[in-house]
Amino acid sequence: MLNISELRVAYGPITAVDQASMHVGPGEIVALIGANGAGKSSLLRGVTGLVPTSGAVQFDGRDISSTTAPERVAMGIAMAPEGRQVFTDQTVYENLLLGGYLIRKHTRQLESNIERSFDLFPRLRERSGQLAGTLSGGEQQMLAIARALMSDPRMLILDEPSLGLAPLIARDIFRTLVALRKQGMTILLVEQMALQALGISDRAYVLENGRIVLEGTGTSLRHNPRISEAYLGGSHAAHEHGVTEHP
Ligand code: ATP
């Protein structure tokens, strides 16, 4: 469904993504993991059209490299960005309406998509009239995902959905992603919680200094010594033993 080849993203003299090639098949959850500053967000921005790129981005076999971000949303690519970026001074309902901007003239579809969001996240139904800025972090993440789904995407892109969330809340978010895949959604996921991300992913890529250095199934990467040392290390062992790390 998504095919990236030799993608490069640069900010002036800084190359954030260098010659990255990867693909995401229909119905897959694919994770992109890597350390801070590895270029994960930049790669996602390249896919969604938020930054200029060189190399090729294909969606459904069509080269979309020169299309704008809104055009890519219309084609079926939607992103829940890092830090959620909900509209804090708008209600939950209004945020969802904004997510459905592309279908704004189709009132019935808009209403049914909002209903679908509320079925997926009943908490949002309860808080429909509440200002998004007053939601908890987990609720804001639910809203960011629900807002992205409002445009009826075929591919959902998530940038660090677990960021700043308590482990139990993050687990619920990961469960929702699995439920979405069951409904046929294709998902590209950037995550710092590598163990959890690999646990729900069909395949994953590892990015280091802007380059993809490893690729494999979620299971194989979970058991790859290089990965467990670099990304799962202490916290993996700590989770297994129910230990919380302290600085
Ligand atoms: P994190 O996990 O910390 O979010 P990341 O893997 O998503 O990191 P990016 O945010 O893509 O990494 O950053 C990759 C590199 O590009 C970093 O060196 C960063 O400083 C640089 N960078 C990112 N955005 C910009 C920008 N707008 N202008 C200049 N440099 C940038």
Side-chain angles (χ1 to χ4, degrees), residues 11 14 16 35-42 45 82 160 192:
Y11 306 99
I14 298 167
N36 286 121
K40 306 179 298 296
S41 299
S42 300
R45 282 184 219 128
E82 184 171 11
E160 306 222 11
Q192 289 274 345

Side-chain angles (χ1 to χ4, degrees), residues 2 22 24 28-34 40-41 43-44 78-80 141 145 155-163 170 173-175 177-178 186-206:
L2 178 73
M22 62 181 287
V24 183
E28 275 192 314
I29 297 184
V30 172
L32 186 60
I33 60 174
K40 306 179 298 296
S41 299
L43 190 149
L44 296 190
M79 175 148 94
Q141 186 57 57
I145 294 173
M155 171 173 271
L156 178 64
I157 297 185
L158 299 114
D159 196 350
E160 306 222 11
S162 77
L163 193 71
I173 297 288
F174 288 125
R175 281 188 179 154
L177 300 186
V178 172
T186 304
I187 296 175
L188 173 58
L189 167 73
V190 156
E191 251 305 326
Q192 289 274 345
M193 289 177 77
L195 179 66
Q196 289 80 350
L198 293 176
I200 62 161
S201 298
D202 299 294
R203 291 184 307 108
Y205 294 86
V206 180

Side-chain angles (χ1 to χ4, degrees):
M1 182 176 265
L2 178 73
N3 219 327
I4 298 166
S5 112
E6 301 192 353
L7 189 80
R8 183 168 181 270
V9 176
Y11 306 99
I14 298 167
T15 301
V17 179
D18 197 11
Q19 306 284 309
S21 298
M22 62 181 287
H23 67 276
V24 183
E28 275 192 314
I29 297 184
V30 172
L32 186 60
I33 60 174
N36 286 121
K40 306 179 298 296
S41 299
S42 300
L43 190 149
L44 296 190
R45 282 184 219 128
V47 172
T48 50
L50 294 173
V51 290
T53 54
S54 59
V57 182
Q58 286 186 323
F59 189 63
D60 278 345
R62 177 178 164 198
D63 189 343
I64 59 166
S65 314
S66 52
T67 57
T68 64
E71 283 167 346
R72 294 186 204 191
V73 176
M75 286 172 200
I77 302 177
M79 175 148 94
E82 184 171 11
R84 353 278 188 218
Q85 296 182 23
V86 295
F87 302 106
T88 52
D89 56 352
Q90 308 274 321
T91 65
V92 166
Y93 190 85
E94 287 162 343
N95 268 270
L96 293 175
L97 284 181
L98 288 164
Y101 182 77
L102 280 179
I103 54 161
R104 64 192 177 283
K105 292 189 179 134
H106 306 276
T107 318
R108 233 182 255 158
Q109 193 187 350
L110 205 53
E111 278 168 9
S112 108
N113 286 8
I114 289 179
E115 203 47 39
R116 186 182 63 191
S117 304
F118 289 159
D119 289 342
L120 189 63
F121 298 114
R123 188 72 73 90
L124 295 182
R125 189 193 306 276
E126 290 164 21
R127 284 158 170 71
S128 167
Q130 188 172 324
L131 289 183
T134 64
L135 296 174
S136 72
E139 290 161 356
Q140 289 194 13
Q141 186 57 57
M142 293 172 200
L143 181 56
I145 294 173
R147 185 183 56 184
L149 293 173
M150 282 297 295
S151 59
D152 282 328
R154 280 174 299 129
M155 171 173 271
L156 178 64
I157 297 185
L158 299 114
D159 196 350
E160 306 222 11
S162 77
L163 193 71
L165 303 185
L168 282 180
I169 312 282
R171 195 190 59 189
D172 285 347
I173 297 288
F174 288 125
R175 281 188 179 154
T176 304
L177 300 186
V178 172
L180 284 170
R181 173 182 49 192
K182 266 200 195 129
Q183 295 166 18
M185 184 60 69
T186 304
I187 296 175
L188 173 58
L189 167 73
V190 156
E191 251 305 326
Q192 289 274 345
M193 289 177 77
L195 179 66
Q196 289 80 350
L198 293 176
I200 62 161
S201 298
D202 299 294
R203 291 184 307 108
Y205 294 86
V206 180
L207 202 61
E208 271 178 25
N209 297 320
R211 287 181 169 263
I212 289 176
V213 293
L214 267 181
E215 169 191 355
T217 62
T219 315
S220 70
L221 288 181
R222 263 173 89 146
H223 296 106
N224 181 313
R226 186 168 163 193
I227 299 298
S228 39
E229 204 170 299
Y231 304 105
L232 310 177
S235 61
H236 182 191
H239 275 301
E240 280 189 343
H241 295 99
V243 178
T244 312
E245 285 180 75
H246 291 272

